[in-house]
PDB file of all heavy atoms in Angstrom:
ATOM      1  N   HIS A 180      -9.522  52.816 -43.308  1.00 96.00           N
ATOM      2  CA  HIS A 180      -9.498  53.891 -44.297  1.00 96.00           C
ATOM      3  C   HIS A 180     -10.173  53.490 -45.601  1.00 96.00           C
ATOM      4  O   HIS A 180     -10.268  54.277 -46.528  1.00 96.00           O
ATOM      5  CB  HIS A 180      -8.075  54.408 -44.527  1.00 96.00           C
ATOM      6  CG  HIS A 180      -7.333  53.652 -45.578  1.00 96.00           C
ATOM      7  ND1 HIS A 180      -6.822  52.398 -45.358  1.00 96.00           N
ATOM      8  CD2 HIS A 180      -7.054  53.967 -46.864  1.00 96.00           C
ATOM      9  CE1 HIS A 180      -6.251  51.975 -46.469  1.00 96.00           C
ATOM     10  NE2 HIS A 180      -6.373  52.898 -47.392  1.00 96.00           N
ATOM     11  N   SER A 181     -10.664  52.240 -45.636  1.00 96.00           N
ATOM     12  CA  SER A 181     -11.367  51.790 -46.839  1.00 96.00           C
ATOM     13  C   SER A 181     -12.320  50.674 -46.454  1.00 96.00           C
ATOM     14  O   SER A 181     -12.188  50.070 -45.386  1.00 96.00           O
ATOM     15  CB  SER A 181     -10.367  51.254 -47.857  1.00 96.00           C
ATOM     16  OG  SER A 181      -9.810  50.031 -47.373  1.00 96.00           O
ATOM     17  N   TRP A 182     -13.259  50.389 -47.330  1.00 96.00           N
ATOM     18  CA  TRP A 182     -14.194  49.290 -47.055  1.00 96.00           C
ATOM     19  C   TRP A 182     -13.521  47.925 -47.035  1.00 96.00           C
ATOM     20  O   TRP A 182     -13.805  47.123 -46.151  1.00 96.00           O
ATOM     21  CB  TRP A 182     -15.391  49.339 -48.014  1.00 96.00           C
ATOM     22  CG  TRP A 182     -16.386  50.335 -47.529  1.00 96.00           C
ATOM     23  CD1 TRP A 182     -16.727  51.517 -48.089  1.00 96.00           C
ATOM     24  CD2 TRP A 182     -17.148  50.242 -46.315  1.00 96.00           C
ATOM     25  NE1 TRP A 182     -17.637  52.175 -47.309  1.00 96.00           N
ATOM     26  CE2 TRP A 182     -17.914  51.412 -46.227  1.00 96.00           C
ATOM     27  CE3 TRP A 182     -17.236  49.291 -45.299  1.00 96.00           C
ATOM     28  CZ2 TRP A 182     -18.776  51.653 -45.153  1.00 96.00           C
ATOM     29  CZ3 TRP A 182     -18.086  49.524 -44.242  1.00 96.00           C
ATOM     30  CH2 TRP A 182     -18.839  50.692 -44.181  1.00 96.00           C
ATOM     31  N   PRO A 183     -12.614  47.650 -48.017  1.00 93.00           N
ATOM     32  CA  PRO A 183     -11.947  46.336 -47.931  1.00 93.00           C
ATOM     33  C   PRO A 183     -11.259  46.116 -46.577  1.00 93.00           C
ATOM     34  O   PRO A 183     -11.197  44.997 -46.082  1.00 93.00           O
ATOM     35  CB  PRO A 183     -10.923  46.394 -49.074  1.00 93.00           C
ATOM     36  CG  PRO A 183     -11.542  47.325 -50.059  1.00 93.00           C
ATOM     37  CD  PRO A 183     -12.281  48.360 -49.245  1.00 93.00           C
ATOM     38  N   GLU A 184     -10.776  47.191 -45.975  1.00 94.00           N
ATOM     39  CA  GLU A 184     -10.116  47.062 -44.679  1.00 94.00           C
ATOM     40  C   GLU A 184     -11.084  46.589 -43.585  1.00 94.00           C
ATOM     41  O   GLU A 184     -10.677  45.945 -42.629  1.00 94.00           O
ATOM     42  CB  GLU A 184      -9.518  48.417 -44.287  1.00 94.00           C
ATOM     43  CG  GLU A 184      -8.351  48.308 -43.357  1.00 94.00           C
ATOM     44  CD  GLU A 184      -7.748  49.657 -43.033  1.00 94.00           C
ATOM     45  OE1 GLU A 184      -7.809  50.575 -43.902  1.00 94.00           O
ATOM     46  OE2 GLU A 184      -7.257  49.811 -41.926  1.00 94.00           O
ATOM     47  N   PHE A 185     -12.352  46.912 -43.758  1.00 92.00           N
ATOM     48  CA  PHE A 185     -13.358  46.500 -42.772  1.00 92.00           C
ATOM     49  C   PHE A 185     -13.556  44.969 -42.772  1.00 92.00           C
ATOM     50  O   PHE A 185     -13.910  44.393 -41.759  1.00 92.00           O
ATOM     51  CB  PHE A 185     -14.681  47.233 -43.058  1.00 92.00           C
ATOM     52  CG  PHE A 185     -15.739  47.017 -42.004  1.00 92.00           C
ATOM     53  CD1 PHE A 185     -15.550  47.442 -40.705  1.00 92.00           C
ATOM     54  CD2 PHE A 185     -16.937  46.391 -42.324  1.00 92.00           C
ATOM     55  CE1 PHE A 185     -16.524  47.253 -39.729  1.00 92.00           C
ATOM     56  CE2 PHE A 185     -17.919  46.199 -41.363  1.00 92.00           C
ATOM     57  CZ  PHE A 185     -17.716  46.625 -40.063  1.00 92.00           C
ATOM     58  N   TYR A 186     -13.306  44.343 -43.945  1.00 83.00           N
ATOM     59  CA  TYR A 186     -13.462  42.888 -44.038  1.00 83.00           C
ATOM     60  C   TYR A 186     -12.643  42.165 -42.967  1.00 83.00           C
ATOM     61  O   TYR A 186     -13.057  41.159 -42.430  1.00 83.00           O
ATOM     62  CB  TYR A 186     -12.967  42.364 -45.391  1.00 83.00           C
ATOM     63  CG  TYR A 186     -13.899  42.609 -46.548  1.00 83.00           C
ATOM     64  CD1 TYR A 186     -13.572  43.494 -47.555  1.00 83.00           C
ATOM     65  CD2 TYR A 186     -15.099  41.902 -46.652  1.00 83.00           C
ATOM     66  CE1 TYR A 186     -14.407  43.711 -48.624  1.00 83.00           C
ATOM     67  CE2 TYR A 186     -15.946  42.115 -47.719  1.00 83.00           C
ATOM     68  CZ  TYR A 186     -15.598  43.021 -48.710  1.00 83.00           C
ATOM     69  OH  TYR A 186     -16.436  43.228 -49.751  1.00 83.00           O
ATOM     70  N   GLU A 187     -11.470  42.717 -42.725  1.00 83.00           N
ATOM     71  CA  GLU A 187     -10.565  42.062 -41.783  1.00 83.00           C
ATOM     72  C   GLU A 187     -11.203  41.877 -40.400  1.00 83.00           C
ATOM     73  O   GLU A 187     -10.894  40.949 -39.683  1.00 83.00           O
ATOM     74  CB  GLU A 187      -9.273  42.864 -41.626  1.00 83.00           C
ATOM     75  CG  GLU A 187      -8.433  42.827 -42.886  1.00 83.00           C
ATOM     76  CD  GLU A 187      -7.330  43.869 -42.854  1.00 83.00           C
ATOM     77  OE1 GLU A 187      -6.896  44.241 -41.750  1.00 83.00           O
ATOM     78  OE2 GLU A 187      -6.927  44.314 -43.949  1.00 83.00           O
TER      79      GLU A 187
END
Side-chain angles (χ1 to χ4, degrees):
H180 88 285
S181 69
W182 279 112
E184 206 178 330
F185 187 63
Y186 284 111
E187 291 167 27

